[in-house]
Amino acid sequence: MEGIHAVQIMVVLYLVMFLGCAWCQEVGDEVTAVYIVTMKQAPAAHYIGVLSKSKNILEHDGSGSVNRLEKPSNFSRTDRRYASYIARVHDSLLRKVFRGERYLKLYSYHYLINGFAVLVTPQQAEKLSRRRVVANVVLDYSIRTATTYTPQFLGLPQGAWSRGGGYETAGEGIVIGFIDTGIDPTHPSFSDVAASENPYPVPEHFSGICEVTRDFPSGSCNRKLVGARHFAASAITRGIFNASQDYASPFDGDGHGTHTASTAAGNHGIPVVVAGHHFGNASGMAPRSHIAVYKALYKSFGGFAADVVAAIDQAAQDGVDIISLSIAPNRRPPGIATFFNPIDMALLSAVKAGIFVVQAAGNTGPSPKSISSFSPWIFTVGAAAHDRVYSNSINLGNITISGVGLAPGTENGSIYTLVSALHALNDTTAENDMYVGECQDPSSLNQDIVQGNLLMCSYSKRFVLGLSTIKQALQTAKNLSAAGVVFYMDPFVIGFQLNPVSMELPGIIIPSPDSSKILLQYYNSSLERDRLTNKIVKFGAVACISGGLKANYSYSAPKIMYYSARGPDPADSFLDDADILKPNLVAPGNSIWAAWSSGGTDSIEFLGEDFAMMSGTSMAAPHIAGLAALIKKNFPTFTPSAIGSALSTTASLYDKDGGPIMAQRAYANPDLNQSPATPFDMGSGFVNATAALDPGLIFYLSYDDYLSFLCGINGSAAVVLNYTGQSCGVSATNAIDLNLPSITIAKLNQSSIVQRTVTNIANNETYCVGWSAPYGASMKVTPTHFFVANGERQVLTVFVNATMNSSVASYGKIGLFGNQGHIAMIPVSIIGKILYNATSN
């Protein structure tokens, strides 16, 4: 990709400042916008090693198209000639179409898609769309961002790591590319110094660079952090990019990108110290993997598709093995299918180039069809809780209330008087401040009243919005010499779950309005007031806090978190269901300790800390990216679909106690609103890292299979040609026939026959087949027994018949049980079932 990097980004900044932001938004009375334009000519990734030699790839016919006899072919991934050529073709087209009109090209994409991003008016975009060499013109859209213990919970030290020689070699030689908010290169999780006795190898297949800026000086990269770039041209044209806050460099001013990178591939054994408390030692899933960072998301505004596509294009050209995206679009892509959007189509080309792509499912659950990752070539990851929890409690005598807070308890269980901030005001004028109870301003409170007592503060919506912070309330308590802090939940904060927050002082956050009401009733009933003046003469409520610094491992886990986005996969903007299972899998995503940027502001409570505890599918996806690196190292020839198959067929369906994995169904009181998880909650199940390294059977899919699937979508031929440069022909396939390690039928009209092909990558083995049919359907699988030699394939035929009319989804499974111990599970999901057609009968 010829895009905008360290020097070029400054050119765009200069143009915006010189011409004025008004030019970026308006030309005369016409509003401008960024459009992503794709060309009909295929990108570079489609030609590498495929076509015959060409003597001169720089010749073209002047129309912006490439002569068929001179299509580029015999060049490597690192060959810059084709990139330069494509950029000149794009420039030539723009000059020819606009002839003296103003426009601003932001990027030329060439590796995964052939196209460019340009700032123009809608009328100019229309002109571009009419050119025969132009395939698509799409309006740019916004994007948003969606550990110390999880390696143990996933069994890595005794399982997956030990199989590959221990953590010292786990993921070695594999490069993971992160499309995120950047990275803090000074963090010890990304240092290569600690590995001096066993130095990191230089990944010879990787050709990326490290941008050098004031925020990201020379030497920021090393043998661990092998590449870093940033992409912000689309944001800059909108006039919303703040170079001092967002950093015009790969440096992470948010924290999110540093967190995800260290979760996947952070160094092993890094001490986690927050607020002076030690919470163990951290490690990424693949601690010896290399990290390449492509910053395209920013704290103040999120990101835009044009910048994300540029980042993906560059990552693929640089030679990453895995792409991790903890991001999601802010809307479903319009058009005939959700799969046809610039990001997903760029990722399809990445898969063709052999790159495994992982994406967060999104944090919009628990509603059905809330998934934000759509395409079958993308491995979509939902979030589950692991069994480590930090909880503390407050004892009110006969009543104990549990809460959250990474805080020490009151010393030796000592009892202290409770004093509400509302009853410790300096003067009556503070009573007019409706937020004084949030303890944000020590000057409004009377130290004589607060000193030596437990200060009670209100946790309101302002904390949720970041307008008030726990950190400031703790500082207030510290300034006033309080013995500790108790936060009670405002009754208007409904359906909001708190991450544990680290505190230096004894403290607790009571996370539910109902429990907070019990505390307030006890407190108010214990006040003694003067009968004449009604003034408080004695604070009678007392309490002690038990600390929350030690983890508890008795939690039932894994459990699907309420915020984790759910299937079914929406096939289009009309929310028709696709015959594709989403999410693919779930992984740890709740209360994850990982590295934090020194400039990270995403969570004000961890500002200035080296580690932070975060929750979301953004935290789950890098777990899978790291585990995929372990698989890729163990099986270097595995295709992206093979990696996905290994992870899926070996996933666990049960929690650590042997019961079914549960899924939370509501924001409010989620643990009281849960039921057994379905494939639309958890995909194939919860990741089993050790089993995924020895899957036995593999479900293979190729780029051509995905192309046939896209061609099978009604009315898609022109769109497929526009995005891929390839004609559909007669090789169309329905989604149900994709060789996925799952079966999903959106509408079972009486009966269906589904086939799956498995390939044995282990020793010769005999399998028996078992199944349970979804409610409202019958099912039969043939053969019921089979022998398959190493490297051989076996076709399975599944006959499914509706036994009732129903529009309610139901679920079953198919199990393949080998006599050498291999087990492959295939989830079966059927949504609509039609036993007979009423109109025809």
Side-chain angles (χ1 to χ4, degrees), residues 717-767:
V719 185
V720 171
L721 178 64
N722 288 346
Y723 267 117
T724 67
Q726 295 179 247
S727 301
C728 281
V730 294
S731 60
T733 301
N734 292 325
I736 195 174
D737 295 318
L738 279 173
N739 197 43
L740 295 165
S742 59
I743 296 173
T744 306
I745 304 175
K747 184 179 291 184
L748 176 61
N749 192 347
Q750 300 182 49
S751 64
S752 182
I753 299 175
V754 183
Q755 287 192 328
R756 292 291 185 266
T757 301
V758 294
T759 302
N760 183 15
I761 64 163
N763 294 327
N764 301 350
E765 196 161 3
T766 299
Y767 283 83

Short mmCIF file of all heavy atoms in Angstrom, two decimals, residues 717-767:
data_model
loop_
_atom_site.label_atom_id
_atom_site.label_comp_id
_atom_site.label_asym_id
_atom_site.label_seq_id
_atom_site.Cartn_x
_atom_site.Cartn_y
_atom_site.Cartn_z
N ALA A 717 -23.35 -11.37 -8.60
CA ALA A 717 -22.31 -11.56 -9.61
C ALA A 717 -21.54 -10.28 -9.90
O ALA A 717 -20.30 -10.28 -9.94
CB ALA A 717 -22.91 -12.14 -10.88
N ALA A 718 -22.27 -9.19 -10.08
CA ALA A 718 -21.60 -7.92 -10.41
C ALA A 718 -20.76 -7.42 -9.25
O ALA A 718 -19.65 -6.91 -9.43
CB ALA A 718 -22.64 -6.88 -10.80
N VAL A 719 -21.26 -7.59 -8.02
CA VAL A 719 -20.53 -7.13 -6.84
C VAL A 719 -19.27 -7.96 -6.64
O VAL A 719 -18.21 -7.43 -6.32
CB VAL A 719 -21.42 -7.20 -5.58
CG1 VAL A 719 -20.70 -6.60 -4.38
CG2 VAL A 719 -22.73 -6.48 -5.80
N VAL A 720 -19.38 -9.28 -6.83
CA VAL A 720 -18.21 -10.15 -6.70
C VAL A 720 -17.15 -9.76 -7.73
O VAL A 720 -15.96 -9.65 -7.40
CB VAL A 720 -18.61 -11.63 -6.89
CG1 VAL A 720 -17.37 -12.52 -6.97
CG2 VAL A 720 -19.51 -12.08 -5.75
N LEU A 721 -17.57 -9.52 -8.96
CA LEU A 721 -16.64 -9.11 -10.00
C LEU A 721 -15.97 -7.78 -9.63
O LEU A 721 -14.76 -7.61 -9.79
CB LEU A 721 -17.36 -8.97 -11.34
CG LEU A 721 -16.51 -8.50 -12.52
CD1 LEU A 721 -15.42 -9.50 -12.85
CD2 LEU A 721 -17.39 -8.25 -13.76
N ASN A 722 -16.76 -6.87 -9.09
CA ASN A 722 -16.23 -5.56 -8.74
C ASN A 722 -15.18 -5.64 -7.63
O ASN A 722 -14.15 -4.98 -7.68
CB ASN A 722 -17.36 -4.62 -8.31
CG ASN A 722 -18.23 -4.19 -9.47
OD1 ASN A 722 -17.85 -4.36 -10.63
ND2 ASN A 722 -19.40 -3.64 -9.18
N TYR A 723 -15.45 -6.48 -6.63
CA TYR A 723 -14.53 -6.55 -5.49
C TYR A 723 -13.32 -7.43 -5.75
O TYR A 723 -12.23 -7.16 -5.23
CB TYR A 723 -15.26 -7.06 -4.25
CG TYR A 723 -15.82 -5.96 -3.37
CD1 TYR A 723 -17.19 -5.83 -3.16
CD2 TYR A 723 -14.98 -5.06 -2.73
CE1 TYR A 723 -17.70 -4.83 -2.34
CE2 TYR A 723 -15.49 -4.06 -1.91
CZ TYR A 723 -16.84 -3.95 -1.72
OH TYR A 723 -17.35 -2.97 -0.92
N THR A 724 -13.50 -8.52 -6.50
CA THR A 724 -12.42 -9.50 -6.65
C THR A 724 -11.80 -9.52 -8.03
O THR A 724 -10.72 -10.10 -8.20
CB THR A 724 -12.94 -10.91 -6.34
OG1 THR A 724 -13.89 -11.30 -7.35
CG2 THR A 724 -13.61 -10.97 -4.98
N GLY A 725 -12.49 -8.94 -9.03
CA GLY A 725 -11.99 -9.00 -10.39
C GLY A 725 -12.20 -10.35 -11.03
O GLY A 725 -11.68 -10.63 -12.11
N GLN A 726 -12.99 -11.21 -10.38
CA GLN A 726 -13.23 -12.55 -10.91
C GLN A 726 -14.72 -12.74 -11.19
O GLN A 726 -15.58 -12.30 -10.43
CB GLN A 726 -12.75 -13.61 -9.91
CG GLN A 726 -11.24 -13.58 -9.71
CD GLN A 726 -10.78 -14.62 -8.71
OE1 GLN A 726 -10.31 -14.29 -7.63
NE2 GLN A 726 -10.89 -15.89 -9.07
N SER A 727 -14.99 -13.42 -12.31
CA SER A 727 -16.37 -13.71 -12.69
C SER A 727 -16.88 -14.93 -11.95
O SER A 727 -16.11 -15.84 -11.61
CB SER A 727 -16.46 -13.94 -14.20
OG SER A 727 -16.01 -12.80 -14.91
N CYS A 728 -18.20 -14.95 -11.72
CA CYS A 728 -18.77 -16.06 -10.95
C CYS A 728 -18.85 -17.35 -11.75
O CYS A 728 -18.62 -18.43 -11.23
CB CYS A 728 -20.16 -15.67 -10.45
SG CYS A 728 -20.12 -14.62 -8.98
N GLY A 729 -19.18 -17.26 -13.04
CA GLY A 729 -19.31 -18.49 -13.81
C GLY A 729 -20.44 -19.34 -13.28
O GLY A 729 -21.51 -18.84 -12.91
N VAL A 730 -20.21 -20.64 -13.19
CA VAL A 730 -21.26 -21.56 -12.74
C VAL A 730 -20.94 -22.18 -11.39
O VAL A 730 -21.65 -23.05 -10.91
CB VAL A 730 -21.47 -22.69 -13.78
CG1 VAL A 730 -22.02 -22.13 -15.07
CG2 VAL A 730 -20.16 -23.45 -14.02
N SER A 731 -19.86 -21.72 -10.75
CA SER A 731 -19.40 -22.36 -9.52
C SER A 731 -19.99 -21.70 -8.28
O SER A 731 -19.28 -21.30 -7.38
CB SER A 731 -17.88 -22.32 -9.44
OG SER A 731 -17.44 -20.97 -9.45
N ALA A 732 -21.32 -21.57 -8.24
CA ALA A 732 -21.97 -20.96 -7.08
C ALA A 732 -22.28 -22.01 -6.02
O ALA A 732 -22.64 -23.15 -6.34
CB ALA A 732 -23.24 -20.26 -7.51
N THR A 733 -22.11 -21.63 -4.76
CA THR A 733 -22.35 -22.53 -3.63
C THR A 733 -23.20 -21.82 -2.60
O THR A 733 -22.99 -20.64 -2.33
CB THR A 733 -21.01 -22.94 -2.97
OG1 THR A 733 -20.19 -23.58 -3.93
CG2 THR A 733 -21.23 -23.88 -1.80
N ASN A 734 -24.14 -22.53 -2.02
CA ASN A 734 -24.91 -21.97 -0.92
C ASN A 734 -24.08 -22.01 0.35
O ASN A 734 -23.19 -22.86 0.53
CB ASN A 734 -26.21 -22.76 -0.71
CG ASN A 734 -27.17 -22.59 -1.87
OD1 ASN A 734 -27.25 -21.51 -2.46
ND2 ASN A 734 -27.87 -23.65 -2.21
N ALA A 735 -24.39 -21.09 1.28
CA ALA A 735 -23.63 -21.03 2.53
C ALA A 735 -23.70 -22.34 3.29
O ALA A 735 -22.72 -22.75 3.93
CB ALA A 735 -24.18 -19.89 3.40
N ILE A 736 -24.83 -23.02 3.21
CA ILE A 736 -24.98 -24.26 3.95
C ILE A 736 -24.01 -25.33 3.49
O ILE A 736 -23.68 -26.26 4.22
CB ILE A 736 -26.45 -24.77 3.83
CG1 ILE A 736 -26.74 -25.84 4.88
CG2 ILE A 736 -26.73 -25.28 2.43
CD1 ILE A 736 -28.18 -26.27 4.91
N ASP A 737 -23.51 -25.18 2.24
CA ASP A 737 -22.59 -26.18 1.68
C ASP A 737 -21.12 -25.83 1.87
O ASP A 737 -20.25 -26.59 1.43
CB ASP A 737 -22.90 -26.37 0.19
CG ASP A 737 -24.29 -26.96 -0.05
OD1 ASP A 737 -24.66 -27.87 0.70
OD2 ASP A 737 -25.00 -26.48 -0.95
N LEU A 738 -20.83 -24.69 2.47
CA LEU A 738 -19.44 -24.39 2.81
C LEU A 738 -18.94 -25.43 3.80
O LEU A 738 -19.66 -25.82 4.73
CB LEU A 738 -19.33 -22.99 3.44
CG LEU A 738 -19.30 -21.79 2.51
CD1 LEU A 738 -19.35 -20.50 3.32
CD2 LEU A 738 -18.05 -21.81 1.63
N ASN A 739 -17.71 -25.88 3.63
CA ASN A 739 -17.18 -26.95 4.47
C ASN A 739 -16.72 -26.41 5.83
O ASN A 739 -15.56 -26.54 6.24
CB ASN A 739 -16.00 -27.64 3.76
CG ASN A 739 -15.68 -28.99 4.38
OD1 ASN A 739 -16.58 -29.77 4.69
ND2 ASN A 739 -14.40 -29.27 4.56
N LEU A 740 -17.66 -25.78 6.52
CA LEU A 740 -17.40 -25.23 7.84
C LEU A 740 -17.49 -26.33 8.90
O LEU A 740 -18.22 -27.31 8.71
CB LEU A 740 -18.42 -24.13 8.15
CG LEU A 740 -18.36 -22.88 7.26
CD1 LEU A 740 -19.63 -22.06 7.42
CD2 LEU A 740 -17.13 -22.05 7.60
N PRO A 741 -16.84 -26.18 10.04
CA PRO A 741 -16.95 -27.15 11.13
C PRO A 741 -18.22 -26.93 11.95
O PRO A 741 -18.23 -27.07 13.18
CB PRO A 741 -15.69 -26.90 11.95
CG PRO A 741 -15.38 -25.47 11.73
CD PRO A 741 -15.81 -25.15 10.32
N SER A 742 -19.28 -26.56 11.29
CA SER A 742 -20.59 -26.33 11.91
C SER A 742 -21.64 -26.44 10.81
O SER A 742 -21.31 -26.34 9.61
CB SER A 742 -20.65 -24.94 12.56
OG SER A 742 -20.42 -23.93 11.59
N ILE A 743 -22.87 -26.64 11.21
CA ILE A 743 -24.00 -26.66 10.27
C ILE A 743 -25.06 -25.70 10.80
O ILE A 743 -25.53 -25.85 11.93
CB ILE A 743 -24.58 -28.07 10.10
CG1 ILE A 743 -23.54 -29.01 9.47
CG2 ILE A 743 -25.85 -28.04 9.26
CD1 ILE A 743 -23.97 -30.46 9.42
N THR A 744 -25.41 -24.72 10.00
CA THR A 744 -26.43 -23.74 10.37
C THR A 744 -27.44 -23.65 9.23
O THR A 744 -27.06 -23.41 8.08
CB THR A 744 -25.81 -22.36 10.62
OG1 THR A 744 -24.78 -22.48 11.60
CG2 THR A 744 -26.86 -21.38 11.11
N ILE A 745 -28.69 -23.87 9.55
CA ILE A 745 -29.76 -23.81 8.54
C ILE A 745 -30.75 -22.74 8.98
O ILE A 745 -31.44 -22.90 9.98
CB ILE A 745 -30.46 -25.16 8.37
CG1 ILE A 745 -29.44 -26.26 8.03
CG2 ILE A 745 -31.53 -25.08 7.30
CD1 ILE A 745 -30.04 -27.66 7.96
N ALA A 746 -30.80 -21.63 8.23
CA ALA A 746 -31.70 -20.54 8.61
C ALA A 746 -33.15 -20.92 8.39
O ALA A 746 -34.03 -20.54 9.18
CB ALA A 746 -31.35 -19.28 7.81
N LYS A 747 -33.42 -21.68 7.33
CA LYS A 747 -34.80 -22.09 7.05
C LYS A 747 -34.79 -23.50 6.49
O LYS A 747 -34.37 -23.74 5.35
CB LYS A 747 -35.46 -21.13 6.05
CG LYS A 747 -36.94 -21.44 5.79
CD LYS A 747 -37.56 -20.46 4.82
CE LYS A 747 -37.68 -19.09 5.44
NZ LYS A 747 -38.38 -18.13 4.53
N LEU A 748 -35.24 -24.46 7.28
CA LEU A 748 -35.33 -25.86 6.86
C LEU A 748 -36.71 -26.09 6.27
O LEU A 748 -37.69 -26.22 6.99
CB LEU A 748 -35.09 -26.79 8.05
CG LEU A 748 -35.23 -28.29 7.77
CD1 LEU A 748 -34.23 -28.75 6.71
CD2 LEU A 748 -35.07 -29.09 9.06
N ASN A 749 -36.76 -26.12 4.95
CA ASN A 749 -38.03 -26.32 4.24
C ASN A 749 -38.20 -27.81 3.99
O ASN A 749 -37.72 -28.36 3.00
CB ASN A 749 -38.04 -25.54 2.93
CG ASN A 749 -39.42 -25.48 2.31
OD1 ASN A 749 -40.33 -26.21 2.73
ND2 ASN A 749 -39.60 -24.62 1.33
N GLN A 750 -38.83 -28.46 4.92
CA GLN A 750 -39.12 -29.89 4.91
C GLN A 750 -37.86 -30.73 5.10
O GLN A 750 -37.71 -31.41 6.11
CB GLN A 750 -39.86 -30.31 3.63
CG GLN A 750 -41.20 -29.57 3.48
CD GLN A 750 -41.97 -30.00 2.27
OE1 GLN A 750 -42.15 -31.19 2.02
NE2 GLN A 750 -42.44 -29.02 1.50
N SER A 751 -36.89 -30.68 4.18
CA SER A 751 -35.71 -31.51 4.33
C SER A 751 -34.50 -30.87 3.67
O SER A 751 -34.64 -29.97 2.83
CB SER A 751 -35.94 -32.90 3.73
OG SER A 751 -36.14 -32.79 2.33
N SER A 752 -33.35 -31.34 4.07
CA SER A 752 -32.11 -30.82 3.49
C SER A 752 -31.03 -31.90 3.62
O SER A 752 -31.03 -32.68 4.57
CB SER A 752 -31.67 -29.54 4.22
OG SER A 752 -30.49 -29.02 3.62
N ILE A 753 -30.13 -31.91 2.64
CA ILE A 753 -28.98 -32.81 2.67
C ILE A 753 -27.72 -31.96 2.68
O ILE A 753 -27.51 -31.11 1.81
CB ILE A 753 -28.96 -33.76 1.46
CG1 ILE A 753 -30.23 -34.63 1.45
CG2 ILE A 753 -27.71 -34.65 1.50
CD1 ILE A 753 -30.34 -35.51 0.20
N VAL A 754 -26.90 -32.15 3.71
CA VAL A 754 -25.70 -31.36 3.90
C VAL A 754 -24.50 -32.29 3.90
O VAL A 754 -24.54 -33.37 4.49
CB VAL A 754 -25.76 -30.58 5.24
CG1 VAL A 754 -24.53 -29.70 5.40
CG2 VAL A 754 -27.03 -29.74 5.31
N GLN A 755 -23.42 -31.86 3.26
CA GLN A 755 -22.20 -32.66 3.25
C GLN A 755 -21.04 -31.89 3.87
O GLN A 755 -20.94 -30.68 3.73
CB GLN A 755 -21.83 -33.09 1.83
CG GLN A 755 -22.74 -34.16 1.26
CD GLN A 755 -22.19 -34.78 -0.02
OE1 GLN A 755 -21.52 -34.12 -0.80
NE2 GLN A 755 -22.47 -36.07 -0.22
N ARG A 756 -20.19 -32.62 4.57
CA ARG A 756 -18.96 -32.08 5.11
C ARG A 756 -17.82 -33.06 4.81
O ARG A 756 -18.04 -34.29 4.83
CB ARG A 756 -19.07 -31.86 6.63
CG ARG A 756 -20.03 -30.75 7.03
CD ARG A 756 -19.50 -29.39 6.64
NE ARG A 756 -20.33 -28.30 7.12
CZ ARG A 756 -21.31 -27.73 6.41
NH1 ARG A 756 -21.58 -28.17 5.18
NH2 ARG A 756 -22.01 -26.74 6.91
N THR A 757 -16.65 -32.51 4.54
CA THR A 757 -15.48 -33.33 4.25
C THR A 757 -14.41 -33.08 5.30
O THR A 757 -14.03 -31.93 5.55
CB THR A 757 -14.91 -33.01 2.86
OG1 THR A 757 -15.93 -33.23 1.87
CG2 THR A 757 -13.70 -33.88 2.54
N VAL A 758 -13.94 -34.16 5.91
CA VAL A 758 -12.88 -34.05 6.92
C VAL A 758 -11.60 -34.67 6.37
O VAL A 758 -11.63 -35.63 5.60
CB VAL A 758 -13.27 -34.73 8.24
CG1 VAL A 758 -14.43 -34.00 8.90
CG2 VAL A 758 -13.62 -36.21 8.04
N THR A 759 -10.48 -34.09 6.77
CA THR A 759 -9.16 -34.58 6.38
C THR A 759 -8.40 -34.97 7.63
O THR A 759 -8.34 -34.20 8.60
CB THR A 759 -8.38 -33.51 5.60
OG1 THR A 759 -9.12 -33.12 4.44
CG2 THR A 759 -7.01 -34.03 5.18
N ASN A 760 -7.80 -36.16 7.62
CA ASN A 760 -7.08 -36.65 8.78
C ASN A 760 -5.63 -36.17 8.73
O ASN A 760 -4.88 -36.50 7.80
CB ASN A 760 -7.12 -38.18 8.81
CG ASN A 760 -6.44 -38.75 10.06
OD1 ASN A 760 -6.19 -38.01 11.02
ND2 ASN A 760 -6.13 -40.04 10.04
N ILE A 761 -5.21 -35.38 9.73
CA ILE A 761 -3.82 -34.91 9.80
C ILE A 761 -3.03 -35.69 10.84
O ILE A 761 -1.85 -35.41 11.05
CB ILE A 761 -3.76 -33.41 10.11
CG1 ILE A 761 -4.33 -33.12 11.51
CG2 ILE A 761 -4.46 -32.59 9.04
CD1 ILE A 761 -3.94 -31.78 12.07
N ALA A 762 -3.68 -36.68 11.47
CA ALA A 762 -3.02 -37.49 12.49
C ALA A 762 -2.72 -38.87 11.92
O ALA A 762 -2.80 -39.10 10.72
CB ALA A 762 -3.90 -37.56 13.73
N ASN A 763 -2.41 -39.80 12.78
CA ASN A 763 -2.19 -41.17 12.34
C ASN A 763 -3.50 -41.80 11.90
O ASN A 763 -4.59 -41.29 12.17
CB ASN A 763 -1.57 -42.00 13.47
CG ASN A 763 -0.17 -41.51 13.83
OD1 ASN A 763 0.56 -41.05 12.96
ND2 ASN A 763 0.19 -41.62 15.10
N ASN A 764 -3.39 -42.95 11.23
CA ASN A 764 -4.58 -43.67 10.79
C ASN A 764 -5.51 -43.89 11.99
O ASN A 764 -5.07 -44.21 13.09
CB ASN A 764 -4.20 -45.03 10.21
CG ASN A 764 -3.27 -44.90 9.01
OD1 ASN A 764 -3.05 -43.80 8.50
ND2 ASN A 764 -2.74 -46.02 8.55
N GLU A 765 -6.81 -43.70 11.74
CA GLU A 765 -7.75 -43.78 12.87
C GLU A 765 -9.13 -44.20 12.39
O GLU A 765 -9.55 -43.90 11.26
CB GLU A 765 -7.83 -42.42 13.57
CG GLU A 765 -8.46 -42.46 14.95
CD GLU A 765 -8.11 -41.24 15.79
OE1 GLU A 765 -7.42 -40.33 15.28
OE2 GLU A 765 -8.52 -41.19 16.96
N THR A 766 -9.83 -44.91 13.25
CA THR A 766 -11.21 -45.32 12.99
C THR A 766 -12.14 -44.47 13.84
O THR A 766 -11.91 -44.31 15.05
CB THR A 766 -11.41 -46.80 13.31
OG1 THR A 766 -10.54 -47.58 12.46
CG2 THR A 766 -12.86 -47.21 13.06
N TYR A 767 -13.17 -43.94 13.22
CA TYR A 767 -14.11 -43.05 13.91
C TYR A 767 -15.50 -43.65 13.93
O TYR A 767 -15.93 -44.31 12.96
CB TYR A 767 -14.17 -41.68 13.22
CG TYR A 767 -12.99 -40.77 13.51
CD1 TYR A 767 -11.80 -40.89 12.79
CD2 TYR A 767 -13.06 -39.80 14.51
CE1 TYR A 767 -10.72 -40.08 13.05
CE2 TYR A 767 -11.98 -38.97 14.78
CZ TYR A 767 -10.82 -39.11 14.04
OH TYR A 767 -9.75 -38.29 14.31
#
